Amino acid sequence: MPDQYSVISNLNLRESSRVTSQVSARPVETGLARLILQDRQFFVLGRYEQRIVTAISAPSTGLVVSGDWAADAKRTLLAAPLAQPVFTEPASLHRYRATAKQPFYIPAETTPSFFPPTLEGLLDDQRAARNAIAVTPTGQIGVKDPRVLKAALAGANALERDDVAFLVPIEAAFLSDEHSLRLLISVLNRSVHPVLLALVHDKNPLESPKRLKAYRRIFAETTGMVIPYRADATAFDARAHGAAGMAVGLIPSARRTNPVGSRGGPVADPTDMAPHVLIADLLRFTRAKMMRREWFVDSESPRCFCPGCRGAAIDRFYESTADRFQAHLHNAYELQRLHTSNLGFSTTERHDWWHAQAAGAADAYPKLASHIGRAVPVPDDVSLWSKACRS
Amino acid sequence: MNDDTAAKGALLAALRLSRGLTQQELAAAAETSQASVSKAEGGKDDLDPVRWSAIERCLAVPTGTFMRTQSFAPESRIFHRKLRSTPQYALKRLRAEVDLAHLRSSALLSTRKPELRVSRHPIPHDGFVTPGEIADDVRQELGVAEGPIGNLTGLLEDSGVVVIRSHLEAMQVDAIAGWPDGGTPVILLNDHVSSERQRFTMAHELGHAVMHDVSASALQESQADAFASAFLMPAESFAAKWPGRDIDALVTYKSTWGVSLAAAIRRGRDLGLLSESDYTKLSIHMSATGAHRRELDPMKSESPRLMTDAIESAMAQGATLQALAERALMLEEEFVSTYLENHA
């Protein structure tokens, strides 16, 4: 592959020679959660990104629909002949705080009946609604009371079925304390189901090197199937350290989970709707407006050669619906390319591949700085990823 | 080996170490040879009464201490909270201090020993049970109400733990704890550190005593810290009135809980009440202002009462100071300064 961008050149970004050996499409009707999640890159779709589904067509991908409109969206998606699996994200992820007594959100009966709602029943309903897998409606799990996490584990492990994934949405503070982290790893190792691990925080859940290292440890030290859920580029570091697959977001709100009742931390300019764009060479999502106003005011912006951009400038996206769609499309293509470029790799090969990507990204920052004539510090995450660490 | 000789030897070694003397130094002071001190400590050889008397004078213990000794073979699990890297010779001295503390507390508390209400909660290796959960269990076991613990020393003493303030700074530790099987747990506290740190240290040692068999690894030290943190600042009630990141409000809050500012903000971070960046900013502020070395709004120190009360009670019933000091293997002056002065 030629250098992808005209300015920022990351020579390590090369297609895998094994792309042709991608995992083949699997019949999703089986509902076998482990098979469906293994090696697959799911995209968590918000309300406005569903149209990019045509771009997410690789056999190694899948779709997660979320939000109030999820049921309608899934019906629309499934009306098309999709090869990849689709499942719906439980609303409990955003609306319910788990307790030790009730770790899962099970709606109260509106009228008494012989068959009150049960966890099993809710999962059956999910499957009956043509979800490729069922997902436990786990509420957000706080760090203060370890009994909540254990209650969720016990409830999930009591499910004798293989079409279910155990959703574990934890407060990011689990990553700040060694003993909470050890508890989490121990719980994940006891899960009989594949785990979707989501981080709850109103800003960046991996805000410090300490948390980044702790997050990496989860995937390195767990022995079962753990999938980073609603993640950003960190999902690739997780994968390089043992994650079986990933579920990533194309927009910022789909790359983390806000605490119940929160709409996210303060943003510099709430009216700025310009999309965040993945610059794969830098392994970084950056707002297009920031690129235009701060990086490429007086210098040529890089061009992107993904199937969506076809050589156009990387900072060309404005606030319009059409531009935002194009940016989502670009993000999807780039995330997909990164994912498929290491499919079929052994753990060691994937680790080395990721290290090379990250080292290349760390090198690309000074090049960018030199091009635009101002400092662009290497972010903590890229810096950590670029350091060789074989666990 | 004769049992009496072995007991005398073990006691000799403990007393010598607690005085910070080498065998050579003791031998020189007692005008005997290092070899004979060594053999006596090993229980291989008994000394004649004149030499024992000379040694008693050098060690500042009552005359006849060794002749009256029939048994001294304590086997405690020992824990200590290091200030810096603790040298090997200090570790031996620490064990000697704890062994003597056990002997003295057994001798002086014979009739007033509180019922031991603390039980062991071994912590699993895989992290499935957190130190915080064990701290919650122990609080429940001891009947501690939600919220701050007013007098931690009193709580521990009422629960059957002996707390003694001691001059431990020479051994570079904040505290030592020992818990013989079936015996009374003893915590020796360095009286040269702040009251907040003493409280945290007591809780730390309690954590070791209930969770661990030995104190060795960094993980165990970290577990004992986490236990102490959760024991003094239980998650739910500590989080309920968390004041945010304002330093003045935090100083007031840490005083309410009887912990250091550093311990409070660390607990805040671990419970997700403070972001990583706010925690870092506060830590830098503390470091820049010296607040990490000198506690802001320091609290009044807690005084152990258990031993003092037992001694005063014995004296009220007719026991003489000399007799009680003899039981504690101390001369009267040291006995008074250890147990009766500054314990109001």
Side-chain angles (χ1 to χ4, degrees), chain B residues 12-42:
Chain B
L12 169 59
L15 287 167
R16 174 182 61 76
L17 286 164
S18 82
R19 298 295 187 212
L21 295 173
T22 63
Q23 288 180 341
Q24 196 128 32
E25 286 165 343
L26 176 62
E31 296 180 345
T32 184
S33 68
Q34 186 263 332
S36 57
V37 172
S38 172
K39 282 179 187 169
E41 286 188 1

PDB file of all heavy atoms in Angstrom, chain B residues 12-42:
ATOM      1  N   LEU B  12      16.784 -13.996  76.985  1.00  0.00           N
ATOM      2  CA  LEU B  12      17.999 -13.192  76.932  1.00  0.00           C
ATOM      3  C   LEU B  12      18.151 -12.543  75.552  1.00  0.00           C
ATOM      4  O   LEU B  12      18.420 -11.339  75.437  1.00  0.00           O
ATOM      5  CB  LEU B  12      19.221 -14.073  77.237  1.00  0.00           C
ATOM      6  CG  LEU B  12      20.602 -13.452  76.977  1.00  0.00           C
ATOM      7  CD1 LEU B  12      20.813 -12.182  77.804  1.00  0.00           C
ATOM      8  CD2 LEU B  12      21.719 -14.464  77.270  1.00  0.00           C
ATOM      9  N   ALA B  13      17.955 -13.361  74.518  1.00  0.00           N
ATOM     10  CA  ALA B  13      18.099 -12.828  73.155  1.00  0.00           C
ATOM     11  C   ALA B  13      17.088 -11.708  72.911  1.00  0.00           C
ATOM     12  O   ALA B  13      17.421 -10.658  72.347  1.00  0.00           O
ATOM     13  CB  ALA B  13      17.909 -13.961  72.142  1.00  0.00           C
ATOM     14  N   ALA B  14      15.838 -11.934  73.347  1.00  0.00           N
ATOM     15  CA  ALA B  14      14.787 -10.927  73.116  1.00  0.00           C
ATOM     16  C   ALA B  14      15.111  -9.623  73.843  1.00  0.00           C
ATOM     17  O   ALA B  14      15.001  -8.523  73.262  1.00  0.00           O
ATOM     18  CB  ALA B  14      13.435 -11.470  73.564  1.00  0.00           C
ATOM     19  N   LEU B  15      15.523  -9.741  75.115  1.00  0.00           N
ATOM     20  CA  LEU B  15      15.828  -8.523  75.884  1.00  0.00           C
ATOM     21  C   LEU B  15      17.035  -7.791  75.309  1.00  0.00           C
ATOM     22  O   LEU B  15      17.057  -6.561  75.218  1.00  0.00           O
ATOM     23  CB  LEU B  15      16.073  -8.892  77.355  1.00  0.00           C
ATOM     24  CG  LEU B  15      14.812  -9.273  78.154  1.00  0.00           C
ATOM     25  CD1 LEU B  15      15.186  -9.914  79.490  1.00  0.00           C
ATOM     26  CD2 LEU B  15      13.923  -8.050  78.380  1.00  0.00           C
ATOM     27  N   ARG B  16      18.046  -8.569  74.908  1.00  0.00           N
ATOM     28  CA  ARG B  16      19.245  -7.942  74.337  1.00  0.00           C
ATOM     29  C   ARG B  16      18.890  -7.186  73.050  1.00  0.00           C
ATOM     30  O   ARG B  16      19.261  -6.017  72.880  1.00  0.00           O
ATOM     31  CB  ARG B  16      20.304  -9.011  74.038  1.00  0.00           C
ATOM     32  CG  ARG B  16      21.529  -8.456  73.316  1.00  0.00           C
ATOM     33  CD  ARG B  16      22.546  -9.522  72.973  1.00  0.00           C
ATOM     34  NE  ARG B  16      22.066 -10.566  72.077  1.00  0.00           N
ATOM     35  CZ  ARG B  16      21.901 -10.400  70.765  1.00  0.00           C
ATOM     36  NH1 ARG B  16      22.150  -9.227  70.188  1.00  0.00           N
ATOM     37  NH2 ARG B  16      21.480 -11.398  70.005  1.00  0.00           N
ATOM     38  N   LEU B  17      18.131  -7.858  72.171  1.00  0.00           N
ATOM     39  CA  LEU B  17      17.755  -7.214  70.907  1.00  0.00           C
ATOM     40  C   LEU B  17      16.901  -5.978  71.156  1.00  0.00           C
ATOM     41  O   LEU B  17      17.058  -4.948  70.496  1.00  0.00           O
ATOM     42  CB  LEU B  17      17.004  -8.210  70.011  1.00  0.00           C
ATOM     43  CG  LEU B  17      17.877  -9.281  69.370  1.00  0.00           C
ATOM     44  CD1 LEU B  17      17.016 -10.435  68.831  1.00  0.00           C
ATOM     45  CD2 LEU B  17      18.706  -8.672  68.230  1.00  0.00           C
ATOM     46  N   SER B  18      15.988  -6.074  72.116  1.00  0.00           N
ATOM     47  CA  SER B  18      15.109  -4.920  72.371  1.00  0.00           C
ATOM     48  C   SER B  18      15.901  -3.729  72.902  1.00  0.00           C
ATOM     49  O   SER B  18      15.471  -2.587  72.781  1.00  0.00           O
ATOM     50  CB  SER B  18      13.990  -5.295  73.335  1.00  0.00           C
ATOM     51  OG  SER B  18      14.447  -5.246  74.659  1.00  0.00           O
ATOM     52  N   ARG B  19      17.057  -3.991  73.512  1.00  0.00           N
ATOM     53  CA  ARG B  19      17.919  -2.886  73.969  1.00  0.00           C
ATOM     54  C   ARG B  19      18.858  -2.406  72.869  1.00  0.00           C
ATOM     55  O   ARG B  19      19.668  -1.507  73.090  1.00  0.00           O
ATOM     56  CB  ARG B  19      18.778  -3.330  75.167  1.00  0.00           C
ATOM     57  CG  ARG B  19      17.982  -3.732  76.400  1.00  0.00           C
ATOM     58  CD  ARG B  19      17.220  -2.558  76.984  1.00  0.00           C
ATOM     59  NE  ARG B  19      16.583  -2.895  78.244  1.00  0.00           N
ATOM     60  CZ  ARG B  19      15.447  -2.372  78.669  1.00  0.00           C
ATOM     61  NH1 ARG B  19      14.802  -1.496  77.920  1.00  0.00           N
ATOM     62  NH2 ARG B  19      14.930  -2.706  79.831  1.00  0.00           N
ATOM     63  N   GLY B  20      18.796  -3.075  71.727  1.00  0.00           N
ATOM     64  CA  GLY B  20      19.639  -2.666  70.608  1.00  0.00           C
ATOM     65  C   GLY B  20      21.100  -3.014  70.798  1.00  0.00           C
ATOM     66  O   GLY B  20      21.982  -2.324  70.288  1.00  0.00           O
ATOM     67  N   LEU B  21      21.382  -4.080  71.557  1.00  0.00           N
ATOM     68  CA  LEU B  21      22.771  -4.477  71.820  1.00  0.00           C
ATOM     69  C   LEU B  21      23.159  -5.686  70.978  1.00  0.00           C
ATOM     70  O   LEU B  21      22.332  -6.571  70.723  1.00  0.00           O
ATOM     71  CB  LEU B  21      22.935  -4.846  73.302  1.00  0.00           C
ATOM     72  CG  LEU B  21      22.746  -3.730  74.333  1.00  0.00           C
ATOM     73  CD1 LEU B  21      22.763  -4.314  75.743  1.00  0.00           C
ATOM     74  CD2 LEU B  21      23.846  -2.686  74.178  1.00  0.00           C
ATOM     75  N   THR B  22      24.423  -5.745  70.592  1.00  0.00           N
ATOM     76  CA  THR B  22      24.938  -6.953  69.969  1.00  0.00           C
ATOM     77  C   THR B  22      25.401  -7.885  71.090  1.00  0.00           C
ATOM     78  O   THR B  22      25.571  -7.453  72.243  1.00  0.00           O
ATOM     79  CB  THR B  22      26.136  -6.650  69.047  1.00  0.00           C
ATOM     80  OG1 THR B  22      27.191  -6.112  69.869  1.00  0.00           O
ATOM     81  CG2 THR B  22      25.769  -5.640  67.968  1.00  0.00           C
ATOM     82  N   GLN B  23      25.637  -9.153  70.742  1.00  0.00           N
ATOM     83  CA  GLN B  23      26.148 -10.094  71.758  1.00  0.00           C
ATOM     84  C   GLN B  23      27.470  -9.581  72.321  1.00  0.00           C
ATOM     85  O   GLN B  23      27.734  -9.670  73.521  1.00  0.00           O
ATOM     86  CB  GLN B  23      26.325 -11.482  71.147  1.00  0.00           C
ATOM     87  CG  GLN B  23      25.006 -12.193  70.858  1.00  0.00           C
ATOM     88  CD  GLN B  23      25.218 -13.567  70.264  1.00  0.00           C
ATOM     89  OE1 GLN B  23      26.300 -13.886  69.730  1.00  0.00           O
ATOM     90  NE2 GLN B  23      24.184 -14.412  70.338  1.00  0.00           N
ATOM     91  N   GLN B  24      28.281  -9.050  71.417  1.00  0.00           N
ATOM     92  CA  GLN B  24      29.603  -8.571  71.828  1.00  0.00           C
ATOM     93  C   GLN B  24      29.488  -7.408  72.818  1.00  0.00           C
ATOM     94  O   GLN B  24      30.186  -7.363  73.840  1.00  0.00           O
ATOM     95  CB  GLN B  24      30.371  -8.100  70.589  1.00  0.00           C
ATOM     96  CG  GLN B  24      31.844  -7.937  70.811  1.00  0.00           C
ATOM     97  CD  GLN B  24      32.652  -8.702  69.756  1.00  0.00           C
ATOM     98  OE1 GLN B  24      32.204  -8.826  68.633  1.00  0.00           O
ATOM     99  NE2 GLN B  24      33.810  -9.220  70.140  1.00  0.00           N
ATOM    100  N   GLU B  25      28.589  -6.479  72.513  1.00  0.00           N
ATOM    101  CA  GLU B  25      28.406  -5.310  73.381  1.00  0.00           C
ATOM    102  C   GLU B  25      27.897  -5.735  74.765  1.00  0.00           C
ATOM    103  O   GLU B  25      28.354  -5.245  75.794  1.00  0.00           O
ATOM    104  CB  GLU B  25      27.420  -4.317  72.749  1.00  0.00           C
ATOM    105  CG  GLU B  25      28.022  -3.537  71.579  1.00  0.00           C
ATOM    106  CD  GLU B  25      26.976  -2.834  70.726  1.00  0.00           C
ATOM    107  OE1 GLU B  25      25.778  -3.185  70.823  1.00  0.00           O
ATOM    108  OE2 GLU B  25      27.374  -1.954  69.940  1.00  0.00           O
ATOM    109  N   LEU B  26      26.954  -6.678  74.764  1.00  0.00           N
ATOM    110  CA  LEU B  26      26.412  -7.136  76.052  1.00  0.00           C
ATOM    111  C   LEU B  26      27.501  -7.860  76.850  1.00  0.00           C
ATOM    112  O   LEU B  26      27.650  -7.651  78.065  1.00  0.00           O
ATOM    113  CB  LEU B  26      25.211  -8.068  75.820  1.00  0.00           C
ATOM    114  CG  LEU B  26      24.608  -8.688  77.081  1.00  0.00           C
ATOM    115  CD1 LEU B  26      24.072  -7.592  78.018  1.00  0.00           C
ATOM    116  CD2 LEU B  26      23.494  -9.673  76.746  1.00  0.00           C
ATOM    117  N   ALA B  27      28.253  -8.717  76.123  1.00  0.00           N
ATOM    118  CA  ALA B  27      29.308  -9.479  76.797  1.00  0.00           C
ATOM    119  C   ALA B  27      30.329  -8.539  77.434  1.00  0.00           C
ATOM    120  O   ALA B  27      30.745  -8.728  78.589  1.00  0.00           O
ATOM    121  CB  ALA B  27      29.987 -10.413  75.792  1.00  0.00           C
ATOM    122  N   ALA B  28      30.707  -7.507  76.687  1.00  0.00           N
ATOM    123  CA  ALA B  28      31.692  -6.556  77.216  1.00  0.00           C
ATOM    124  C   ALA B  28      31.153  -5.843  78.452  1.00  0.00           C
ATOM    125  O   ALA B  28      31.857  -5.689  79.458  1.00  0.00           O
ATOM    126  CB  ALA B  28      32.055  -5.543  76.127  1.00  0.00           C
ATOM    127  N   ALA B  29      29.893  -5.433  78.369  1.00  0.00           N
ATOM    128  CA  ALA B  29      29.308  -4.707  79.498  1.00  0.00           C
ATOM    129  C   ALA B  29      29.153  -5.605  80.719  1.00  0.00           C
ATOM    130  O   ALA B  29      29.296  -5.157  81.860  1.00  0.00           O
ATOM    131  CB  ALA B  29      27.947  -4.141  79.085  1.00  0.00           C
ATOM    132  N   ALA B  30      28.884  -6.876  80.480  1.00  0.00           N
ATOM    133  CA  ALA B  30      28.663  -7.805  81.598  1.00  0.00           C
ATOM    134  C   ALA B  30      29.951  -8.524  81.994  1.00  0.00           C
ATOM    135  O   ALA B  30      29.915  -9.448  82.823  1.00  0.00           O
ATOM    136  CB  ALA B  30      27.584  -8.822  81.216  1.00  0.00           C
ATOM    137  N   GLU B  31      31.047  -8.149  81.364  1.00  0.00           N
ATOM    138  CA  GLU B  31      32.364  -8.720  81.638  1.00  0.00           C
ATOM    139  C   GLU B  31      32.353 -10.233  81.504  1.00  0.00           C
ATOM    140  O   GLU B  31      32.746 -10.977  82.400  1.00  0.00           O
ATOM    141  CB  GLU B  31      32.852  -8.280  83.030  1.00  0.00           C
ATOM    142  CG  GLU B  31      33.059  -6.769  83.097  1.00  0.00           C
ATOM    143  CD  GLU B  31      33.553  -6.314  84.469  1.00  0.00           C
ATOM    144  OE1 GLU B  31      33.457  -7.123  85.407  1.00  0.00           O
ATOM    145  OE2 GLU B  31      34.013  -5.184  84.569  1.00  0.00           O
ATOM    146  N   THR B  32      31.835 -10.670  80.352  1.00  0.00           N
ATOM    147  CA  THR B  32      31.891 -12.093  80.027  1.00  0.00           C
ATOM    148  C   THR B  32      32.268 -12.195  78.550  1.00  0.00           C
ATOM    149  O   THR B  32      32.557 -11.180  77.899  1.00  0.00           O
ATOM    150  CB  THR B  32      30.536 -12.776  80.344  1.00  0.00           C
ATOM    151  OG1 THR B  32      30.663 -14.160  80.112  1.00  0.00           O
ATOM    152  CG2 THR B  32      29.397 -12.229  79.496  1.00  0.00           C
ATOM    153  N   SER B  33      32.270 -13.431  78.045  1.00  0.00           N
ATOM    154  CA  SER B  33      32.685 -13.567  76.648  1.00  0.00           C
ATOM    155  C   SER B  33      31.471 -13.622  75.722  1.00  0.00           C
ATOM    156  O   SER B  33      30.375 -14.012  76.132  1.00  0.00           O
ATOM    157  CB  SER B  33      33.501 -14.850  76.470  1.00  0.00           C
ATOM    158  OG  SER B  33      32.650 -15.958  76.657  1.00  0.00           O
ATOM    159  N   GLN B  34      31.710 -13.222  74.480  1.00  0.00           N
ATOM    160  CA  GLN B  34      30.632 -13.265  73.483  1.00  0.00           C
ATOM    161  C   GLN B  34      30.177 -14.695  73.279  1.00  0.00           C
ATOM    162  O   GLN B  34      28.993 -14.966  73.083  1.00  0.00           O
ATOM    163  CB  GLN B  34      31.138 -12.651  72.172  1.00  0.00           C
ATOM    164  CG  GLN B  34      30.090 -12.503  71.085  1.00  0.00           C
ATOM    165  CD  GLN B  34      30.122 -13.658  70.092  1.00  0.00           C
ATOM    166  OE1 GLN B  34      31.176 -14.264  69.885  1.00  0.00           O
ATOM    167  NE2 GLN B  34      28.985 -13.983  69.511  1.00  0.00           N
ATOM    168  N   ALA B  35      31.128 -15.638  73.364  1.00  0.00           N
ATOM    169  CA  ALA B  35      30.791 -17.052  73.154  1.00  0.00           C
ATOM    170  C   ALA B  35      29.809 -17.534  74.209  1.00  0.00           C
ATOM    171  O   ALA B  35      28.852 -18.279  73.913  1.00  0.00           O
ATOM    172  CB  ALA B  35      32.063 -17.898  73.183  1.00  0.00           C
ATOM    173  N   SER B  36      30.032 -17.102  75.465  1.00  0.00           N
ATOM    174  CA  SER B  36      29.123 -17.588  76.506  1.00  0.00           C
ATOM    175  C   SER B  36      27.730 -16.975  76.355  1.00  0.00           C
ATOM    176  O   SER B  36      26.721 -17.632  76.591  1.00  0.00           O
ATOM    177  CB  SER B  36      29.696 -17.332  77.901  1.00  0.00           C
ATOM    178  OG  SER B  36      29.963 -15.967  78.063  1.00  0.00           O
ATOM    179  N   VAL B  37      27.672 -15.719  75.904  1.00  0.00           N
ATOM    180  CA  VAL B  37      26.356 -15.112  75.636  1.00  0.00           C
ATOM    181  C   VAL B  37      25.671 -15.867  74.505  1.00  0.00           C
ATOM    182  O   VAL B  37      24.481 -16.190  74.566  1.00  0.00           O
ATOM    183  CB  VAL B  37      26.511 -13.614  75.280  1.00  0.00           C
ATOM    184  CG1 VAL B  37      25.185 -13.034  74.808  1.00  0.00           C
ATOM    185  CG2 VAL B  37      27.028 -12.827  76.474  1.00  0.00           C
ATOM    186  N   SER B  38      26.451 -16.171  73.476  1.00  0.00           N
ATOM    187  CA  SER B  38      25.891 -16.881  72.321  1.00  0.00           C
ATOM    188  C   SER B  38      25.356 -18.253  72.725  1.00  0.00           C
ATOM    189  O   SER B  38      24.258 -18.647  72.337  1.00  0.00           O
ATOM    190  CB  SER B  38      26.985 -17.020  71.256  1.00  0.00           C
ATOM    191  OG  SER B  38      26.527 -17.843  70.227  1.00  0.00           O
ATOM    192  N   LYS B  39      26.143 -18.980  73.511  1.00  0.00           N
ATOM    193  CA  LYS B  39      25.706 -20.315  73.940  1.00  0.00           C
ATOM    194  C   LYS B  39      24.474 -20.211  74.827  1.00  0.00           C
ATOM    195  O   LYS B  39      23.552 -21.027  74.735  1.00  0.00           O
ATOM    196  CB  LYS B  39      26.836 -21.013  74.701  1.00  0.00           C
ATOM    197  CG  LYS B  39      27.905 -21.578  73.773  1.00  0.00           C
ATOM    198  CD  LYS B  39      29.003 -22.243  74.584  1.00  0.00           C
ATOM    199  CE  LYS B  39      30.157 -22.666  73.691  1.00  0.00           C
ATOM    200  NZ  LYS B  39      31.332 -23.063  74.465  1.00  0.00           N
ATOM    201  N   ALA B  40      24.460 -19.215  75.694  1.00  0.00           N
ATOM    202  CA  ALA B  40      23.301 -19.052  76.579  1.00  0.00           C
ATOM    203  C   ALA B  40      22.050 -18.746  75.771  1.00  0.00           C
ATOM    204  O   ALA B  40      20.981 -19.300  76.014  1.00  0.00           O
ATOM    205  CB  ALA B  40      23.567 -17.934  77.579  1.00  0.00           C
ATOM    206  N   GLU B  41      22.171 -17.866  74.791  1.00  0.00           N
ATOM    207  CA  GLU B  41      21.000 -17.526  73.962  1.00  0.00           C
ATOM    208  C   GLU B  41      20.515 -18.734  73.177  1.00  0.00           C
ATOM    209  O   GLU B  41      19.319 -18.909  72.969  1.00  0.00           O
ATOM    210  CB  GLU B  41      21.345 -16.382  72.998  1.00  0.00           C
ATOM    211  CG  GLU B  41      21.436 -15.035  73.694  1.00  0.00           C
ATOM    212  CD  GLU B  41      21.578 -13.873  72.709  1.00  0.00           C
ATOM    213  OE1 GLU B  41      21.593 -14.101  71.479  1.00  0.00           O
ATOM    214  OE2 GLU B  41      21.675 -12.725  73.175  1.00  0.00           O
ATOM    215  N   GLY B  42      21.460 -19.560  72.752  1.00  0.00           N
ATOM    216  CA  GLY B  42      21.076 -20.757  71.992  1.00  0.00           C
ATOM    217  C   GLY B  42      20.567 -21.875  72.882  1.00  0.00           C
ATOM    218  O   GLY B  42      20.162 -22.925  72.388  1.00  0.00           O
TER     219      GLY B  42
END
